[in-house]
Amino acid sequence: MTIFDELRRYDGFDFPGFLAGVTDAHVARALQKERLTPQDYLALLSPAAARHLEPMAQKARDLTIRHFGRAMVLFTPLYLANHCTNQCVYCGFNTKNRIERRKLTLEEVEAEALAIAATGLKHILILTGEDRKQTPPAYMADCIRVLKRYFTSIAIEVYPLTQEEYALLIEAGADGMTMFQEVYDETVYAELHPKGPKRDYRFRLEAPDRAGRAGMRQLNIGALLGLNSWRTEAFFTGLHADWLQRAYPDAEVAVSPPRMRPHAGGFPPREIVSDAELVQYILAFRLFMPRGGVTLSTRERPGLRDNLLGLGVTRMSAGVCTQVGGRASGQHATGQFEISDPRSVDEMAQALYQRGYQPVYKDWQYL
Ligand code: SF4
């Protein structure tokens, strides 16, 4: 049984009916519990729960401090390539978009690594589009071997791989993976991914499982908020995270709640997720998975990111550049999307200190 079978159990479930039927009493009951059921979690994602954000925030703050302290792990993404064979309608790297395509040479990877390492960061996330010819797993492994000289934790956010390919990258030095399912609703998924290998919903959905079986230490998942109803997508993301944590108890499981941002393609979000709704999602998830990580990207603006400190977020990106080779070369290529928080690593660290938090540059050493 995999997460695919687990999610099938909700086929035909009346989500709109359930969400509309949640009462204040149900929310209050869920808030009293030590361990939430999936139905409790869904209740906390309901419109009714939006009236209870303050008690949810208090409990989420307590749980976050109990399990993670006042520490915030910082990392930054490094785009290795923007070649892509897919046509995701919401992405600037869509193969139909006329943008300059490039991939870093190993020398360029090293130059980017030097620029990032100078900021003090020790954790990095490498990204590519989905193009097995231009950026095969062997290329990623070569890049990881270069990056290992500078960083103690290297996570990958690349197209779904086989278990053997994940094992190859772990062997090279990768210790974490992020896989955005983008949208858990299979029908909507098919509409938004009209062409390319990413159309294979199940192969993508089960990628974190394959990474877990290969021994990946960190598994980070998420839905892109705005593509479908955020409440059900947040629910499925939470179920998926809970499933992974139970299946791979040695792994650190985390979710990311990215909202859609402007990009080269110009696809408008199907649903605008407000700040308050984003907060509700993070609080509900913290109450459902007290020890689950929450990663917040620079898609969100500084003020909101600062206000979310302590409410459940455990990892943040900083000093971000979404262009391939944008740091060392100074070139201005098209990025995957626009960022909202342009703060440098130093500025982010200062903002954390000012709020009584400790920026953590390194919490893992590969031996
Ligand atoms: S989201 Fe990923 S797979 Fe889809 S077009 Fe963008 S880079 Fe390619």
Side-chain angles (χ1 to χ4, degrees):
M1 179 152 161
T2 73
I3 182 62
F4 183 78
D5 309 298
E6 175 82 5
L7 296 189
R8 289 280 72 81
R9 293 170 50 193
Y10 289 88
D11 281 354
F13 184 81
D14 177 15
F15 282 100
F18 181 93
L19 287 164
V22 173
T23 61
D24 290 330
H26 190 172
V27 175
R29 260 199 320 278
L31 278 169
Q32 296 303 319
K33 288 189 177 178
E34 280 286 311
R35 183 80 185 111
L36 268 53
T37 64
Q39 283 71 23
D40 294 328
Y41 174 46
L42 188 55
L44 294 185
L45 293 168
S46 70
R51 296 192 289 271
H52 300 260
L53 286 191
E54 193 46 46
M56 283 172 70
Q58 274 171 20
K59 193 163 178 192
R61 194 177 288 117
D62 287 351
L63 286 170
T64 305
I65 288 181
R66 191 184 320 160
H67 294 293
F68 297 93
R70 286 180 167 272
M72 186 63 57
V73 177
L74 295 180
F75 71 98
T76 207
L78 167 57
Y79 282 77
L80 298 179
N82 59 5
H83 294 278
C84 192
T85 55
N86 285 307
Q87 294 188 9
C88 311
V89 301
Y90 48 82
C91 175
F93 289 173
N94 179 330
T95 190
K96 289 208 303 199
N97 288 344
R98 287 167 178 255
I99 58 169
E100 189 199 337
R101 305 277 170 175
R102 63 187 300 248
K103 105 179 173 187
L104 299 182
T105 63
L106 294 184
E107 290 70 33
E108 288 172 322
V109 170
E110 181 139 30
E112 291 285 309
L114 278 164
I116 296 169
T119 67
L121 288 182
K122 288 291 182 187
H123 291 196
I124 195 166
L125 172 70
I126 57 174
L127 298 95
T128 64
E130 178 157 357
D131 188 331
R132 277 188 168 268
K133 270 202 196 126
Q134 292 286 347
T135 50
Y139 163 76
M140 297 177 205
D142 287 343
C143 293
I144 290 168
R145 286 188 203 100
V146 171
L147 294 167
K148 239 172 84 173
R149 300 205 282 268
Y150 301 92
F151 304 102
T152 62
S153 173
I154 302 166
I156 54 171
E157 186 180 327
V158 303
Y159 52 87
L161 304 174
T162 64
Q163 184 175 331
E164 293 69 32
E165 290 166 340
Y166 282 121
L168 170 79
L169 298 193
I170 293 170
E171 175 68 29
D175 67 292
M177 67 90 75
T178 289
M179 178 58 62
F180 287 104
Q181 185 60 27
E182 320 287 18
V183 57
Y184 280 86
D185 181 304
E186 212 171 336
T187 310
V188 178
Y189 185 94
E191 288 165 18
L192 299 178
H193 303 96
K195 282 216 172 99
K198 196 165 167 180
R199 277 188 68 75
D200 191 338
Y201 173 91
R202 183 165 183 171
F203 189 66
R204 190 172 189 86
L205 184 69
E206 292 175 349
D209 267 294
R210 293 192 296 277
R213 279 201 296 278
M216 198 66 90
R217 182 181 73 87
Q218 274 187 352
L219 305 171
N220 191 43
I221 58 168
L224 182 52
L225 304 179
L227 295 180
N228 192 31
S229 154
W230 76 268
R231 298 179 200 280
T232 49
E233 292 296 322
F235 176 66
F236 286 129
T237 307
L239 284 194
H240 193 176
D242 185 48
W243 160 271
L244 289 169
Q245 191 67 86
R246 283 185 281 119
Y248 307 100
D250 292 340
E252 271 178 43
V253 176
V255 301
S256 297
R259 294 191 286 185
M260 280 188 73
R261 294 288 306 141
H263 61 88
F267 173 81
R270 290 188 164 184
E271 181 183 83
I272 302 288
V273 180
S274 70
D275 287 358
E277 289 169 335
L278 177 69
V279 171
Q280 184 179 353
Y281 173 15
I282 292 173
L283 298 178
F285 176 76
R286 168 60 60 239
L287 269 49
F288 180 54
M289 272 189 72
R291 278 183 287 187
V294 177
T295 307
L296 194 66
S297 79
T298 52
R299 284 170 182 259
E300 303 303 339
R301 58 181 198 284
L304 181 64
R305 296 219 307 165
D306 293 352
N307 287 335
L308 282 167
L309 283 175
L311 294 182
V313 178
T314 56
R315 299 172 76 85
M316 282 184 171
S317 48
V320 169
C321 168
T322 70
Q323 301 161 5
V324 179
R327 288 186 182 86
S329 72
Q331 290 183 10
H332 295 292
T334 307
Q336 192 180 23
F337 56 87
E338 291 172 19
I339 62 174
S340 297
D341 186 347
R343 284 179 291 184
S344 68
V345 176
D346 269 353
E347 288 166 336
M348 198 61 228
Q350 288 314 316
L352 288 167
Y353 282 128
Q354 273 166 17
R355 290 179 175 251
Y357 277 77
Q358 162 124 37
V360 175
Y361 293 81
K362 170 179 172 179
D363 73 349
W364 178 256
Q365 173 74 54
Y366 186 89
L367 294 175

